[in-house]
Amino acid sequence: MKFCLLAISLLELSTASASVASNFSRPLSSQIILPRTFTPPQVFQNVHLLRNINLEKGYVRETIHVIVENVATAPQDEYFLPFPATVIDRLGGLDVRDKKAPEKDALEAVLVEYDPHHDTQFYRIRLPTPLPPSGQQTLSISYSLLSSLQPLPTKIDQGGKQHLVYTFSAYPSSAYATVKQKTKIKFLNADIPDYTSLPASANAEGKADPQRQGSTFTYGPYANVPAGAQEAVRVRYEFTKPLMHATLLERDVEVSHWGGNLATEERYWLVNNGAHLATHFSRAAWVQSAYYNPSTSALKELKILLQPGVSDPYFTDEIGNVSTSHFRANLREASLEIKPRYPIFGGWKYSFRVGWNADLKSYLRKVATGDTYVLKVPFMEGPRQPEGIEYEKVVVRVVLPEGARNVKYDTSMPLTGAEHGRHKTFLDTLGRTTLTLSAVNLVDDQRDRSLIVTYDYPFLAALRKPITIFAGVFAVFVSAWILSRMDVRIGREKVG
């Protein structure tokens, strides 16, 4: 029996290793290498460009709608999008789509490598079809900029207002000349004490910029802006909310066929990037403020929206279980409301973990023919806060049953790494198959994107654990029987 179990294990190990490894033979993303003297060819012009900057959360979200026209004599399909080198490492969630067909897949956007020390870096956008001469294409470009907001002043009183500073260019970065463009900035409220004013002579309509309308600023329109033009603008606005930054999120999703359970655990390392306290923290003042609930730059609680049907939630930190949590669940939704042990002010850190169980039938389906299973789970869940949360790095590990093979995955998340391995737990022989995916520069608006994992789980592999348990128990009884039959006395028994 042991020989049979060993043979089965070796056969499944070799098959699983070969099939899983083949999934990762392709690179996650390609990178174009161009000469250092590269400059984007002037084959396009931006007929009309509208940029929206959203500052209602603790990170910057920009959306650009641009009508691109081919001014060359031949069809073109490569549009270059420039970014300052100082923000390229903080850029996340770049998404380019055809504005007239947003339901279609996003267009290919690849980082160009040509001179790492240059002040400007480029993404190359591949148009869905080559644009003929004088043809036009409407693009919708959106992305997030992490760690781009600085508090000013850098220190405030415990109950004081917090103001943030954001610096940008009134002319959106473009590798091509723009016929007409405009920039709109949306703030959390109308408290904007400082901002850069531009003369009316620069405005195509002769208006002094910015033009204020409630909590919205407008710079422009500007006409006939040359490629690469810049006009520095700085705004300082009130934002008395925490600037939550997760340096790392580790998420484990464990599949159990025998238990019919999907166990999820998320581990967070948070820091508040807001203004620091000018004086020592006062617990008495903090308790008093709870009665009238004023705006604060400290994080008081987190609300994690979960899928319907979850159960057995828990919330722990480095000390142990944290009792200040509340779980709500019904047939349509579930939420876990947690409060840290202390308010997280600017510069303060807090690490914790949350976890829950769910019915596997809600996430796993078996293909009608064969031994293939399809698992569909959120790539990340986590808190949903009005002020938002940005993630510097996210690592998602999917733990599949022992013996799973031919693992494949699909997600719309921009990944930076993927690897497979094995994870040993109770009563495992070779260990469970794992798929680990990594991503950087994510924000909470991306939390609803799915991760689809397909794998083969043959019936023989499903019997591995029962056979292991039976072999172990049988070995114990055989060993006990052999020991009971052995004569372990030192001297011989005297006869008669």
Side-chain angles (χ1 to χ4, degrees):
M1 181 172 293
K2 290 183 178 181
F3 175 78
C4 179
L5 182 61
L6 179 60
I8 294 171
S9 302
L10 292 175
L11 178 60
E12 292 185 354
L13 175 61
S14 60
T15 308
S17 299
S19 58
V20 175
S22 64
N23 287 331
F24 301 96
S25 59
R26 61 178 178 84
L28 291 170
S29 62
S30 59
Q31 197 171 52
I32 307 168
I33 301 177
L34 296 174
R36 290 193 172 188
T37 57
F38 166 78
T39 56
Q42 297 301 300
V43 295
F44 292 107
Q45 73 171 0
N46 302 321
V47 178
H48 187 272
L49 187 150
L50 174 62
R51 175 176 62 168
N52 294 300
I53 302 177
N54 192 305
L55 299 178
E56 295 179 297
K57 289 192 174 185
Y59 52 85
V60 181
R61 185 68 176 169
E62 295 194 8
T63 303
I64 298 174
H65 303 296
V66 57
I67 301 176
V68 178
E69 181 180 3
N70 181 5
V71 295
T73 58
Q76 304 292 329
D77 65 348
E78 291 185 351
Y79 182 89
F80 288 91
L81 181 66
F83 288 99
T86 54
V87 306
I88 200 69
D89 291 335
R90 296 181 278 111
L91 177 71
L94 178 62
D95 185 82
V96 184
R97 296 181 182 272
D98 184 349
K99 191 174 187 297
K100 294 182 179 179
E103 70 282 356
K104 294 184 178 180
D105 292 339
L107 305 185
E108 178 189 279
V110 182
L111 181 64
V112 173
E113 179 183 331
Y114 75 107
D115 186 359
H117 303 293
H118 200 276
D119 294 337
T120 303
Q121 303 295 321
F122 295 93
Y123 271 87
R124 188 205 65 183
I125 299 172
R126 180 77 70 180
L127 301 182
T129 57
L131 200 62
S134 302
Q136 294 185 350
Q137 176 87 41
T138 305
L139 300 179
S140 178
I141 306 170
S142 60
Y143 52 87
S144 301
L145 296 174
L146 282 66
S147 303
S148 299
L149 305 174
Q150 290 77 39
L152 187 68
T154 58
K155 294 184 178 181
I156 59 175
D157 294 332
Q158 182 170 319
K161 285 187 176 182
Q162 176 179 259
H163 290 80
L164 303 180
V165 171
Y166 180 53
T167 304
F168 60 98
S169 173
Y171 304 145
S173 296
S174 176
Y176 311 99
T178 304
V179 178
K180 190 175 182 180
Q181 67 177 25
K182 181 188 294 186
T183 295
K184 291 186 176 183
I185 307 102
K186 176 63 176 175
F187 298 95
L188 183 64
N189 52 51
D191 184 1
I192 311 161
D194 301 311
Y195 52 88
T196 300
S197 299
L198 299 181
S201 58
N203 189 293
E205 299 176 352
K207 300 178 181 179
D209 288 328
Q211 303 150 49
R212 299 190 60 167
Q213 186 176 4
S215 59
T216 302
F217 275 15
T218 301
Y219 284 88
Y222 304 115
N224 300 321
V225 180
Q230 297 287 315
E231 183 65 50
V233 171
R234 191 179 91 150
V235 292
R236 178 173 172 266
Y237 59 99
E238 188 263 331
F239 189 88
T240 311
K241 292 180 179 294
L243 289 180
M244 297 313 303
H245 177 88
T247 57
L248 177 62
L249 164 60
E250 292 181 344
R251 173 177 165 88
D252 289 348
V253 179
E254 186 172 343
V255 178
S256 174
H257 279 241
W258 279 98
N261 185 65
L262 184 74
T264 304
E265 180 176 276
E266 296 185 336
R267 298 177 292 276
Y268 293 83
W269 285 263
L270 294 181
V271 59
N272 188 347
N273 285 338
H276 293 205
L277 290 179
T279 58
H280 293 294
F281 169 67
S282 172
R283 172 65 70 173
W286 177 258
V287 173
Q288 291 175 359
S289 67
Y291 292 98
Y292 54 94
N293 194 29
S295 297
T296 177
S297 60
L299 178 67
K300 297 188 294 185
E301 63 179 0
L302 293 167
K303 185 175 182 179
I304 303 175
L305 298 181
L306 304 175
Q307 301 292 322
V310 303
S311 61
D312 308 321
Y314 59 89
F315 169 36
T316 63
D317 58 14
E318 295 180 355
I319 298 176
N321 182 61
V322 184
S323 59
T324 52
S325 63
H326 186 73
F327 178 64
R328 306 173 187 269
N330 54 44
L331 296 177
R332 294 181 299 173
E333 62 180 2
S335 66
L336 178 62
E337 300 171 3
I338 61 177
K339 290 185 177 181
R341 293 183 185 271
Y342 50 84
I344 307 173
F345 284 92
W348 293 17
K349 299 179 180 181
Y350 188 65
S351 58
F352 64 95
R353 67 179 62 197
V354 293
W356 56 88
N357 293 318
D359 189 355
L360 187 60
K361 293 185 298 183
S362 302
Y363 303 87
L364 188 70
R365 295 291 183 270
K366 188 178 185 299
V367 178
T369 59
D371 299 317
T372 302
Y373 290 83
V374 180
L375 175 70
K376 183 179 180 181
V377 295
F379 187 87
M380 65 177 189
E381 293 180 80
R384 175 169 288 178
Q385 302 292 108
E387 63 274 8
I389 297 180
E390 58 185 28
Y391 299 88
E392 183 176 337
K393 184 177 181 180
V394 177
V395 179
V396 177
R397 185 178 64 164
V398 181
V399 183
L400 302 173
E402 188 175 23
R405 61 194 186 193
N406 194 25
V407 181
K408 300 177 182 179
Y409 67 91
D410 181 66
T411 180
S412 60
M413 282 290 191
L415 301 178
T416 59
E419 60 184 19
H420 65 281
R422 296 198 173 271
H423 173 67
K424 287 190 176 182
T425 56
F426 301 106
L427 299 175
D428 288 340
T429 55
L430 299 175
R432 302 188 182 185
T433 304
T434 61
L435 171 67
T436 304
L437 306 176
S438 303
V440 297
N441 296 342
L442 303 182
V443 295
D444 58 340
D445 284 345
Q446 299 170 283
R447 65 186 301 274
D448 293 328
R449 298 193 184 186
S450 297
L451 169 63
I452 299 176
V453 180
T454 63
Y455 60 94
D456 294 339
Y457 189 50
F459 179 73
L460 191 61
L463 293 179
R464 175 191 296 272
K465 195 173 290 293
I467 293 176
T468 302
I469 296 174
F470 175 77
V473 173
F474 181 76
V476 170
F477 278 102
V478 170
S479 300
W481 178 77
I482 293 175
L483 290 176
S484 66
R485 304 296 296 176
M486 293 177 60
D487 186 0
V488 295
R489 291 173 295 181
I490 298 176
R492 292 182 176 272
E493 182 179 358
K494 295 181 180 181
V495 180

